[in-house]
Amino acid sequence: MTTTPAAAVTAALAAAQTAADAAQWAAAAAHARHAAALATALATAAAPAPVPVPVPPRASVPPSAAPAGPVPGAGASAAESAAYLRSCGTATDGAAYLAGMSKDALRAIATAVGITRVPASMSAPALRDRIVQHAITARIKFAGLRSW
């Protein structure tokens, strides 16, 4: 039986394709073995021990110091009251100082402290809290951040 040239070419191409498919399957199998080995190695590998990082000690914030100078009286000006509030050591001291003041006096102190846009509808306790936060709490907070 004689083969035609076309049949010989077809047979050669089929053999080449079979060889290429076999090589591709071998590569895929090798890849699968490698991936399985890698997954096993990662699953059994122990996590590295955490390395302690030294943390510098925080500078201590000074304890509540008594305000410098005498406490301004009931007839004190807004500027004197603002200066007293800026020297208060704690927000509690400032809130206690502002406790009995009228809303008009609180508005004047708010202006002296540097608070802008105080709505007329703001209640006296809310205004008192805002003054304390602006004059005392923020200063203490940023002093702590600066020393950190």
Side-chain angles (χ1 to χ4, degrees), residues 26-74:
H31 177 71
R33 283 191 306 274
H34 176 70
L38 182 62
T40 303
L42 288 176
T44 58
V51 177
V53 177
V55 177
R58 288 187 180 184
S60 62
V61 177
S64 66
V71 176

Side-chain angles (χ1 to χ4, degrees), residues 4-129:
T4 61
V9 170
T10 304
L13 285 175
Q17 184 64 39
T18 304
D21 286 345
Q24 209 171 21
W25 281 104
H31 177 71
R33 283 191 306 274
H34 176 70
L38 182 62
T40 303
L42 288 176
T44 58
V51 177
V53 177
V55 177
R58 288 187 180 184
S60 62
V61 177
S64 66
V71 176
S77 69
E80 291 172 339
S81 296
Y84 175 77
L85 288 172
R86 287 188 189 107
S87 68
C88 281
T90 65
T92 308
D93 295 340
Y97 174 72
L98 296 174
M101 295 194 177
S102 68
K103 189 172 178 180
D104 292 333
L106 291 173
R107 288 181 67 82
I109 293 171
T111 302
V113 168
I115 299 174
T116 58
R117 298 185 180 187
V118 177
S121 62
M122 184 178 275
S123 67
L127 183 55
R128 186 177 311 117
D129 291 343

